[in-house]
Each structure stands twice: as C-alpha cells, then as structure tokens.
Amino acid sequence: MSLEVIILAAGKGTRMYSDLPKVLHPLAGQAMLTRVIEAAEATGADKIHVVTGFQSEMVRNHYQDSPYNDRIHWVEQTEQLGTGHAVSQALPAVDPDNQVLVLYGDVPLLEAETLTKLVAACGDSGIAVLTLDTANPAGLGRIVRNNKGDITEIVEEKDANIEQKTITEINTGIMAFSAAKLKAWLEKTNTNNAQGEYYLTDTVAMACADGLKVSSLTTEDEDSVQGVNNRLQLAELERRLQRKQAEQIASNGTTVLNLDRVEIRGHTTFGKDVVIDINVILEGDNHIGDRVRIGPNTVIKNSRIGSDTCIEAFSHLEDCEIQLACQIGPYARLRPGTVLCDKAKIGNFVETKKTVIGKGSKVNHLSYIGDAQVDEAANVGAGTITCNYDGVNKYKTHIKSNAFIGSNTALVAPVTVGMGATTGAGSVITSDIPDGQLAIGRGKQRNIPNWKRPTKKTD
Ligand code: UD1
Ligand code: CA
C-alpha cells in the first residue's frame, strides 16, 4: 500500500482579482502550488495528481520546465462542482489499494510531518481529518462530535445551525482516505446542500453510517493550514513566513540585524558568522559562506558567496559565483555569469556581465565590464568600458595579468590587453596590446595661447 496525493487547484480565486491563477501567486518567491507539491513530495508520495480547472493551461505551463512536471499527473475539472467532485475527477487514476491524501493548492505552508501523521492516523477506519481549533471559524466547515467526542459529520458554515456555528474546531480541508472507501463514498455524494455542490466533507457522515470511527489529528500551527483566498491573506502569510524564516536563520547562527527586514524568497544556506544588515533580499538558491557580511538594501539571487566576502550597501547580484574574501559595492551590479576569483574587488557603480575577474584584480569605479576575462592582479581604472556589442554581435575582451587600464578607456572588443600592459587615460583601444607596452589611442592635447572666451551678444 502506498500513498497518492490529490491536490485541488481548480478554483477560480475570484477574490484575488487577478489574471494570474491563484495557486501561481508567489509566497516567499515560490508559487503556492509549488509549495504544496513540495510538501506532497516530502511525504514520500508515490503519485501526485493535480486537479486544475480555471486557467488550467497557465497552471500546467508554469511547470513545463520544472523538475516536478514528470511527477505530476494533471487532471482536468471542467466545471467546479465542489471539492467532492474535484477529487472524483482524479480517482480513476488512483490505485484502490492505496491511500489518498487530499491537499489544497491554496494552503501553501503545510508541514510534511503533520501530513505523514494524518495518513498514519487514517489506518483501519480509512478516513482521517486534519482539524484546527481557531478563534476565527467563520466561513469554514465545523467538526461535529458526539458526546463521546467522536466525529459524526462536518457541516459547512452555510449549512450549519446556530448551535453548530458556535463550534470552534474546523475542517482544515486536509483529509486522508483509503482509496477504495473514498471511491465508494464519493459515488454516493449529492448536491443537496446550501451551495449545491458535491462536498468531499460528506464522506465523514458516510463513514459513520458504515460504523467506522473517523480519525482526526488537530494541529496547533494555524499558519500551516491557513488557506489563501485574497491578497490580504497572502500578504499576511508572507509576513509571518518571512519572520519565521528570519528567526530560524538567527537561531541557527546568522546575525540578522532586523528580523522583520530580511526577505528569503527561495532556499539560502548560510555558513558561520554571517551578518545580514537591513532590507536584504535573498532570492532563488543561494549559498552564503562563512563570515560574509551583507550590507543594507542588497539583492542576491541564485549566487554563491565565498567566505570572508564583504558586500556593501545597495548591491545587486544575480547568477554570480563569488570566491573567497572579495569586496563588492556599495552600488555594484553583478549580472549573470559574473565570477569573482579570490580577493577581487568591485567598487561603486560598476556593472559586470559574463565576466571573470581574476584573483586580486580590481574594478573600483564607474565601469561596464561585459563578456570579459580579467586575469590576476589587474587594475581597471575608473570609467573603463568594454565595448562588447556592435549592435548585432557580442565580442570578448581579455585583460591579462598585471595590466593597468587607465581611466576612461574604451576597450573595443574583440581585443586583448597583454600581461603588464598599460593604457593611457581616455584611450579608445581597438587593437591588441602586446605584453608590457603602453597603448595610447586618443587625440593629442593642444594648448592654444591667447584664447579669448566668447562674450555675451547684445542686440
Ligand atoms: C472547504 C471545505 C471546508 C473547509 C475549508 C477549508 C468542503 C465542502 N468544504 O470549504 O469544510 O473548512 O475548505 O479551507 O470541502 N476546488 C476545486 N474544485 C472545486 C471546488 C474547489 O478544485 O470544484 C478547490 C479550490 O480551488 C480550493 C479547494 O478546493 O483550493 C477548496 O475549495 P473552496 O471553495 O475554497 O472550499 P471552501 O468552501 O473554503
Ligand atoms: Ca477556501
């Protein structure tokens, strides 16, 4: 007997007021549905079925190039006739000997451990419900228990009587079943209720009618079962999740100067004694090495930062590999394909792209270095530009070790600056410079004596 997960994601998400399907809205940088799929994966599920309906195409396309796509069995629910109907659409592909776990695509912070416990609780009875005691049960299905404390049914708010509405134990929507029993029960559901829908929750009363004891598991962690119906709820969940992540990295040994002003959107790992100043955004997959200091208002996306590197304020790094003890910023922009070798230095208002900066080399001020290879211990002067693009094609610049590029040099690629070569300030370099030579490529200065400045004309 193995586990199959059915994720419901066909709903319209009307209250998001969005062209984007609700389940694709990101929470901490990841689509809500992706988080649910990851939770499903973490339970060790054998198969994952995702039921889509509203903007199906868009949802499926989102996963086309993802590693999950091969794992997902997509199911179409053309009309949204209720949670019971949605699950029924997936059941023909489910092995009756297996267990089924039902999740919602808009409940993004599920904990795999809780899910695994719920599935285990399902056991002999073949049905288990994840419940929550909450101060705000409004709008949710209430768990009705008899005087022995056994669950007898789940009543939707719209179908509930006054007494049932006072119940504070609610259905999170997460349920586990034996597939065979679920099939039998769903075949018997009807739409005789306030919403005219097929309710998945009706299976509970049916199990009781079959003389079975409905198992339940109550979670204490409200956020982990919180559904998102509008952007306010999404924003609130985002804040709570960010705070929790910040607390987690702080507990694990990172100095976070303000727990409410660091954003982790994706997966970042940290070495020892990292210091993070305020308004730092870590996006995608990053690794931050030991003793790295990240200055305020810095964005780091899909990058590896080597130990002892210091990134000063207002820097932006994407798809970069930063080796040991580099110095970056303030106001540096390191674009995809930038590699800084040990002890390289990138100063203020410097942009790099597809460029390797060799060990100990420096580009300290106001430069654009793209499609370039800078070898070791070179000094690239202020205002140096690699002219890498002729409007159609891109070309490479190679600056060899110990070269000294004078201020405001334009390096018209393809071009190579030899080892230990020098360029005069303001040069436009269009041909290769042999090792050790000085290249000057600019108009000569003339000093004109007795020059009279123009005077203001009067009419
Ligand atoms: C459902 C539960 C309720 C529970 C609540 C928790 C039922 C009848 N009610 O109510 O007991 O307290 O969730 O949030 O199950 N969906 C489909 N196809 C459909 C209908 C829904 O895929 O035809 C999906 C939605 O996209 C959503 C999820 O199922 O992800 C829940 O649907 P929703 O309409 O939000 O259910 P609730 O009325 O909130
Ligand atoms: Ca809902």
Side-chain angles (χ1 to χ4, degrees), residues 300-318:
I300 301 176
K301 193 171 172 181
N302 297 324
S303 297
R304 287 188 69 81
I305 314 294
S307 295
D308 298 301
T309 287
C310 179
I311 303 172
E312 303 279 6
F314 294 97
S315 293
H316 190 285
L317 288 73
E318 180 175 358

Side-chain angles (χ1 to χ4, degrees), residues 315-364:
S315 293
H316 190 285
L317 288 73
E318 180 175 358
D319 294 329
C320 292
E321 184 195 328
I322 311 299
Q323 295 175 2
L324 305 178
C326 293
Q327 184 74 35
I328 298 164
Y331 300 97
R333 176 153 186 231
L334 275 51
R335 291 172 51 202
T338 296
V339 177
L340 303 191
C341 301
D342 297 356
K343 293 188 177 169
K345 251 186 105 178
I346 297 292
N348 40 239
F349 306 106
V350 171
E351 174 182 348
T352 61
K353 186 217 72 177
K354 275 196 189 156
T355 284
V356 178
I357 305 287
K359 206 169 158 185
S361 286
K362 298 172 187 170
V363 188
N364 274 336

Side-chain angles (χ1 to χ4, degrees), residues 8 10-11 77 80-83 86 104 106 140-141 156 171-172 199 201:
L8 305 189
Q77 185 195 26
Q80 280 73 66
L81 302 178
T83 49
Y104 292 174
D106 58 1
L140 298 164
E156 291 308 297
N171 171 28
T172 60
Y199 288 170
T201 45

Side-chain angles (χ1 to χ4, degrees), residues 163-195:
E163 193 193 337
Q164 289 167 335
K165 278 184 188 158
T166 63
I167 298 172
T168 54
E169 187 185 10
I170 59 95
N171 171 28
T172 60
I174 311 307
M175 297 175 79
F177 300 92
S178 103
K181 285 178 176 149
L182 178 60
K183 273 185 198 196
W185 290 325
L186 281 180
E187 274 163 22
K188 290 193 280 177
T189 52
N190 57 48
T191 57
N192 299 334
N193 53 57
Q195 302 183 81

